[in-house]
Amino acid sequence: MDKLIITAAICGAEVTKDHNPAVPYTVQEIGQEALAAYKAGASIIHLHVREDDGTPTQRIERYAECIDEIKRLCPYVIIQPSTGGAVGMSNAERIQPVNLKPEMATLDCGTCNFGGDEIFINTENTIKEFGEKMIALGIKPEVEVFDKGMIDAAIRLNKQGFIQSPMHFNFVMGVNGGISATPRDFTFLQGSIPVNATFTVSGIGRFQFPMAVMAIISGGHVRVGFEDNIYLSKGILAKSNGELVKKVVRLANELGREIATPTEAREILGLAGGQR
Ligand code: KMH
Ligand code: ZN
């Protein structure tokens, strides 16, 4: 089994300091949260950024500032900007950070309800446009799937040349409007991706750690962080993303799975960054 790649989704676009005061907004806070996650064992930072008042933004200048700060504090970590942004953003807003040529970026492969009245819109043409742009810029997409049909869409677009092989998936499980976070559905998703594909799992809310264990024992990789869950355990807010990553490391240690360094993660994912 490959070593375990841990991704830290340190801030997201929806969670706020009202939910957990440790959610980072400023460039400095984002840098410190990335550092805490990296020191704890994360090799990838899934990055959304905010204005100082917490408003989610896809502004390229803000991404550049945050990426510079993260690279200053943890130069080896893999930075994976979001192209999902926040619900309601236009495609032109969302795609901006890829122009900074990060090693990876997310590619959301379908539309779904996103709780309440919100709809996270990713039409087939959007996926094609974003996929083509990532190929042109040499960026490895993390294919975000919120339901099983999104895997089928990604496989179709891979055959059409809009996403390159081997694909790397993120199973986002437990969003209200997406697939549920159950062992049965986990097995369904895992069995639906191409044999040469890799995958990580993001369990939402209280499903974060149960889904992490499913991934650890079955050869997948794990994403944790405030974007998906703000609690260390029932009723206990995590003080930093580092605490969430440390918990995954403890679980992996108990279950006999070693943790990948960023260099090892690059090898597993076939990133061109090589030894960086
Ligand atoms: N904020 C969500 C609507 C991504 O990063 O690509 C979408 C999201 C996915 O977070
Ligand atoms: Zn995200």
Side-chain angles (χ1 to χ4, degrees):
M1 219 180 258
D2 281 331
K3 291 188 180 180
L4 180 72
I5 301 171
I6 302 176
T7 298
I10 58 175
C11 115
E14 285 80 23
V15 70
T16 70
K17 284 187 190 290
D18 292 336
H19 301 116
N20 183 333
V23 172
Y25 293 167
T26 68
V27 173
Q28 288 68 29
E29 287 170 347
I30 283 176
Q32 289 303 319
E33 279 301 304
L35 179 61
Y38 170 66
K39 275 188 177 165
S43 47
I44 302 178
I45 303 297
H46 169 62
L47 189 63
H48 290 252
V49 301
R50 310 288 186 97
E51 303 296 354
D52 284 348
D53 66 0
T55 307
T57 178
Q58 291 290 101
R59 273 200 309 116
I60 190 167
E61 299 82 7
R62 189 68 168 185
Y63 265 98
E65 280 184 275
C66 290
I67 289 173
D68 284 352
E69 179 68 356
I70 294 171
K71 283 189 173 162
R72 187 179 72 78
L73 295 167
C74 24
Y76 299 109
V77 82
I78 299 162
I79 302 176
Q80 178 200 83
S82 170
T83 66
V87 168
M89 287 180 173
S90 69
N91 286 2
E93 280 176 279
R94 285 170 50 182
I95 197 67
Q96 291 178 76
V98 301
N99 294 308
L100 297 168
K101 297 194 186 166
E103 290 176 86
M104 298 183 82
T106 56
L107 180 60
D108 297 278
C109 276
T111 295
C112 61
N113 282 345
F114 214 77
D117 284 330
E118 310 228 290
I119 305 173
F120 182 37
I121 298 177
N122 296 283
T123 66
E124 186 149 314
N125 286 346
T126 297
I127 305 164
K128 286 178 174 173
E129 178 197 325
F130 285 18
E132 275 185 323
K133 182 125 197 188
M134 289 185 207
I135 291 172
L137 293 171
I139 298 166
K140 174 138 185 163
E142 180 174 272
V143 174
E144 311 286 309
V145 299
F146 296 75
D147 223 328
K148 194 267 185 183
M150 298 192 193
I151 293 178
D152 302 333
I155 291 172
R156 196 169 61 250
L157 295 174
N158 166 251
K159 287 191 182 130
Q160 293 173 12
F162 294 98
I163 305 173
Q164 288 178 325
S165 299
M167 290 191 280
H168 176 64
F169 288 86
N170 178 19
F171 304 157
V172 185
M173 305 185 72
V175 167
N176 289 336
I179 200 162
S180 35
T182 61
R184 182 197 66 168
D185 287 348
F186 171 84
T187 305
F188 182 40
L189 296 184
Q190 186 184 9
S192 302
I193 61 174
V195 284
N196 66 349
T198 49
F199 70 96
T200 193
V201 181
S202 304
I204 301 301
R206 67 193 164 90
F207 301 109
Q208 184 156 82
F209 295 106
M211 287 299 108
V213 169
M214 292 298 299
I216 292 167
I217 63 176
S218 59
H221 303 282
V222 172
R223 179 173 112 173
V224 291
F226 289 154
E227 175 165 347
D228 304 331
N229 164 51
I230 53 174
Y231 292 101
L232 189 57
S233 52
K234 191 171 180 187
I236 311 287
L237 287 174
K239 292 192 187 71
S240 84
N241 283 278
E243 285 193 337
L244 299 171
V245 174
K246 273 186 198 157
K247 184 161 171 174
V248 176
V249 172
R250 283 201 300 277
L251 291 168
N253 285 342
E254 287 295 329
L255 294 166
R257 185 106 183 256
E258 288 181 81
I259 308 299
T261 63
T263 299
E264 290 164 339
R266 285 185 174 92
E267 279 161 17
I268 294 165
L269 296 173
L271 298 182
Q275 295 302 306
R276 263 194 293 170

